[in-house]
Amino acid sequence: MTSTTITSSSLLKKLTPEEVRAYLIEHPEFLAENTALIESADFSGALVDKEGLPDFQRYRMAKLQEDFIALRVEHEDLMDLMQESLQRQNRIFSAILALLDSPDFESTLRLVGQELAEILEVEAVGFFFETGGWLDQGDYAYLKVVSPGKVARWLNGGHLVMEEVENGLEELYGEHADKIRSQALLLIEIQEGLPPGLLALGHADPMYFATGLATEQVECLGEVIARSLRRFLRK
């Protein structure tokens, strides 16, 4: 092996595919002047002409068609995602309008604990507050009162959890728990001095809440629920 061969081999080891590609793009005449490279290249995935040689024009057209199909699929997926986001937004807006029209405290509790699942088109809704002197622990008509610290444990110390689950917790969703595959758990704080609450939304689609779509809308819904209850407690 000559010193020239050794030097060329060393240079080739230092070259990256990106550098080679960049060079060929900047020097399109290179392949035309070095046809031996084309003859030795592997075009096993390319179309061939009648003489068994790679047909670059047909290969390029086929590649463009593949790229177009991929782009169209991506576009359709994006449109589906936007449509789903718009539908979620409309459902939450409908819930907010219903809350604003709620005439009293009990009606607001009934709306959240009983009617919200149908408005939002989710499988189940759980509505909870911790006991703290204003309600005894137990199940009421439209909400459950749980022991102190329960809400924080459900939320892992945060204020919002949106995730995929294998099964919903029975203590959150009752008889609908086995249908739940994703959930949104949201802290509800009516006012300072009152125990914290929790809104649990459960859906059968594993990705419905796990994608993180509509996070701000879910938070907005929670704030409207808190304000709706707060206005009646002040009277």
Side-chain angles (χ1 to χ4, degrees), residues 3-232:
S3 59
T4 303
T5 304
I6 294 174
T7 302
S8 300
S9 178
S10 300
L11 289 173
L12 286 174
K13 289 181 179 179
K14 294 180 180 179
L15 285 175
T16 65
E18 290 76 16
E19 290 172 335
V20 174
R21 181 176 180 276
Y23 178 84
L24 293 176
I25 291 175
E26 293 177 3
H27 302 82
E29 75 286 351
F30 181 82
L31 290 176
E33 296 172 355
N34 296 269
T35 55
L37 291 175
I38 298 178
E39 293 172 0
S40 62
D42 180 12
F43 292 98
S44 56
L47 299 171
V48 296
D49 59 18
K50 294 179 180 180
E51 298 180 358
L53 297 175
D55 187 333
F56 293 109
Q57 184 174 4
R58 291 178 63 195
Y59 171 73
R60 183 58 180 165
M61 286 300 298
K63 186 66 170 63
L64 287 173
Q65 289 176 347
E66 290 177 3
D67 292 345
F68 174 76
I69 292 173
L71 184 61
R72 185 174 63 184
V73 170
E74 183 178 348
H75 174 73
E76 291 174 350
D77 289 344
L78 181 60
M79 291 300 295
D80 290 343
L81 191 63
M82 292 176 63
Q83 183 66 25
E84 174 61 27
S85 179
L86 182 60
Q87 290 174 353
R88 294 189 194 197
Q89 177 177 290
N90 289 338
R91 295 180 196 121
I92 288 179
F93 284 170
S94 295
I96 289 174
L97 290 175
L99 285 164
L100 294 177
D101 289 337
S102 185
D104 52 46
F105 188 79
E106 184 178 354
S107 297
T108 303
L109 290 178
R110 181 174 63 250
L111 174 62
V112 178
Q114 181 173 301
E115 302 170 14
L116 197 60
E118 183 177 353
I119 296 174
L120 296 180
E121 297 185 20
V122 297
E123 271 59 47
V125 171
F127 193 37
F128 307 86
F129 279 98
E130 292 183 359
T131 184
W134 69 311
L135 282 175
D136 294 328
Q137 186 173 333
D139 293 357
Y140 293 80
Y142 311 115
L143 73 143
K144 293 183 178 181
V145 179
V146 296
S147 59
K150 195 83 169 181
V151 169
R153 287 195 293 274
W154 279 332
L155 290 168
N156 293 320
H159 78 284
L160 175 64
V161 174
M162 299 179 73
E163 62 184 356
E164 179 180 354
V165 294
E166 288 188 11
N167 286 290
L169 295 177
E170 187 174 352
E171 59 183 346
L172 288 177
Y173 305 109
E175 61 183 9
H176 303 289
D178 60 344
K179 303 176 185 176
I180 306 305
R181 295 296 178 269
S182 66
Q183 65 183 5
L185 307 179
L186 179 66
L187 178 66
I188 303 294
E189 295 180 297
I190 298 180
Q191 63 187 36
E192 187 176 354
L194 289 181
L198 178 89
L199 177 67
L201 306 176
H203 203 281
D205 182 352
M207 298 307 295
Y208 192 83
F209 289 117
T211 59
L213 285 176
T215 298
E216 293 180 354
Q217 296 166 18
V218 171
E219 291 177 328
C220 180
L221 175 62
E223 180 60 29
V224 174
I225 290 173
R227 292 189 179 208
S228 297
L229 295 172
R230 187 183 307 141
R231 62 176 173 157
F232 297 117

